[in-house]
Amino acid sequence: MMTLAVLVLVALVFQADPAVVADHLRQADLMVLVSVVALYLLNALTKVIRWYVLLSRKGEKLPFGKVALYFLIGLAINNATPGRVSGEPVRAYLVKTGTDYPMGRGMASIFLEKTIDTIVTLVFAVVGIVLLIGVLNKEASDDLLMSAGIVALFMVGLIVFIAFPSIPRRMAAWFFGTLRRRGDSEKAEMWESKIDGFLGTFEQGTREIAQNPYQTAAATGLTAVIWFNEALRLWLVFVALGFDPGPSFELMMIATSLASFAALLIPLGAGSSTAIAAICTLAGIDGSLSTTTGLVFVMTSIWISIPLGAAAMAISGVKAGDVLGSGTNEETET
């Protein structure tokens, strides 16, 4: 998948013409791009605060610095791997080993974070499309609405699957029953106990957070700020590349929202940059400028997150082996 990501990025540049992309980059306003990077760092801090809020429990205060470092490590892994989910169990595992926080509840906080993210981004996308219906041609509007609808159906199905632990419990029971019938009863009992314990703390943690209106309201508000910031950053990249006075903000809302889902398919920002280029070109913006903007957008965000994650690993003392083997030898029911 990493090779595919590189090939997609190279194909994007050649499709837009390398000389034209280079010309756009040479004319870029560096001061505006510095503000784009600053806004990304601010967004990363906002995401840390949001996770910290969701992790908070009555009578228990986690060290904010550790939470921030673990978040940055997980974020870097997400952005460097397909699906953008590999980093989630890593940060839940790290917060467990680093602070003795229950891993199941840590995963519950991440699940609710992703659920709120999905809802807010879909709302941003739909609102943006509705506001642009009178501006975009019918074909473009239909294509964008269909894209948002497909994403919504997929994410709703995923959320329902995870939100009701009885579903994965039944699947686990079937799997371990099969293991027992094959004579692996000892291994089946060991892993069934671990998974049941994990699902128990996950279910309890999800319920606790969901029933706390202050946590969910704060997390939702912070998520809205995060995605407004993303749209603003994309708008500023267009401005930095000479698109004056800048594209419509509604289009930026649509592009960043749908690009976040495209990033699930191809890592290293290749999915995001491709989606941004396609959506903005579909809306009538020059293809080479849209492609260059998509590339610069991921250079000033996703690409920055990887060295940030490496720095967080160095500061926290977490080793690559610990991250790759996250929790495989640990108990998950605590």
Side-chain angles (χ1 to χ4, degrees), residues 311-324:
M313 285 181 66
I315 294 169
S316 63
V318 173
K319 297 178 181 178
D322 295 334
V323 169
L324 293 174

Side-chain angles (χ1 to χ4, degrees), residues 87-137:
E88 311 306 13
V90 169
R91 56 172 160 137
Y93 166 71
L94 290 176
V95 81
K96 173 190 181 296
T97 55
T99 67
D100 202 29
Y101 192 90
M103 187 166 176
R105 196 181 191 284
M107 284 302 297
S109 70
I110 294 169
F111 164 68
L112 288 171
E113 173 191 284
K114 294 300 181 185
T115 301
I116 294 169
D117 243 345
T118 299
I119 293 169
V120 171
T121 50
L122 285 174
V123 168
F124 267 49
V126 172
V127 168
I129 292 169
V130 169
L131 292 174
L132 281 178
I133 281 178
V135 178
L136 298 176
N137 60 56

Side-chain angles (χ1 to χ4, degrees), residues 227-229 231-233 235 247-254:
W227 287 102
F228 180 87
N229 186 328
L232 176 60
R233 287 198 316 105
W235 183 83
S248 69
F249 199 77
E250 297 90 341
L251 179 61
M252 302 298 94
M253 291 167 60
I254 299 168

Side-chain angles (χ1 to χ4, degrees), residues 44-256:
L45 176 61
T46 308
K47 290 178 181 180
V48 170
I49 294 171
R50 177 181 62 180
W51 190 37
Y52 186 79
V53 167
L54 290 171
L55 285 171
S56 299
R57 293 197 293 181
K58 189 175 181 180
E60 182 177 358
K61 190 172 182 180
L62 294 174
F64 183 81
K66 284 189 175 182
V67 171
L69 291 173
Y70 300 154
F71 177 86
L72 291 175
I73 293 170
L75 180 65
I77 294 171
N78 273 352
N79 287 334
T81 55
R84 299 189 76 178
V85 294
S86 302
E88 311 306 13
V90 169
R91 56 172 160 137
Y93 166 71
L94 290 176
V95 81
K96 173 190 181 296
T97 55
T99 67
D100 202 29
Y101 192 90
M103 187 166 176
R105 196 181 191 284
M107 284 302 297
S109 70
I110 294 169
F111 164 68
L112 288 171
E113 173 191 284
K114 294 300 181 185
T115 301
I116 294 169
D117 243 345
T118 299
I119 293 169
V120 171
T121 50
L122 285 174
V123 168
F124 267 49
V126 172
V127 168
I129 292 169
V130 169
L131 292 174
L132 281 178
I133 281 178
V135 178
L136 298 176
N137 60 56
K138 187 177 185 305
E139 183 180 353
S141 298
D142 290 346
D143 287 344
L144 290 174
L145 279 171
M146 184 175 67
S147 300
I150 291 171
V151 168
L153 287 173
F154 173 77
M155 296 308 296
V156 166
L158 183 61
I159 289 169
V160 168
F161 176 81
I162 300 175
F164 296 96
S166 60
I167 299 175
R169 273 202 172 103
R170 282 198 294 269
M171 293 178 67
W174 172 82
F175 176 75
F176 291 121
T178 303
L179 275 184
R180 286 192 184 90
R181 287 192 293 273
R182 291 181 177 178
D184 297 327
S185 58
E186 185 177 340
K187 185 184 293 186
E189 287 177 11
M190 179 186 71
W191 281 105
E192 188 170 22
S193 174
K194 286 188 175 186
I195 290 177
D196 190 62
F198 172 82
L199 289 174
T201 54
F202 177 90
E203 186 176 7
Q204 181 183 356
T206 304
R207 192 182 303 113
E208 286 177 5
I209 300 171
Q211 289 176 351
N212 187 324
Y214 300 105
Q215 278 183 298
T216 51
T220 302
L222 288 168
T223 302
V225 170
I226 287 166
W227 287 102
F228 180 87
N229 186 328
E230 286 292 284
L232 176 60
R233 287 198 316 105
L234 183 59
W235 183 83
L236 284 172
V237 173
F238 269 110
V239 171
L241 294 176
F243 195 112
D244 189 27
S248 69
F249 199 77
E250 297 90 341
L251 179 61
M252 302 298 94
M253 291 167 60
I254 299 168
T256 50

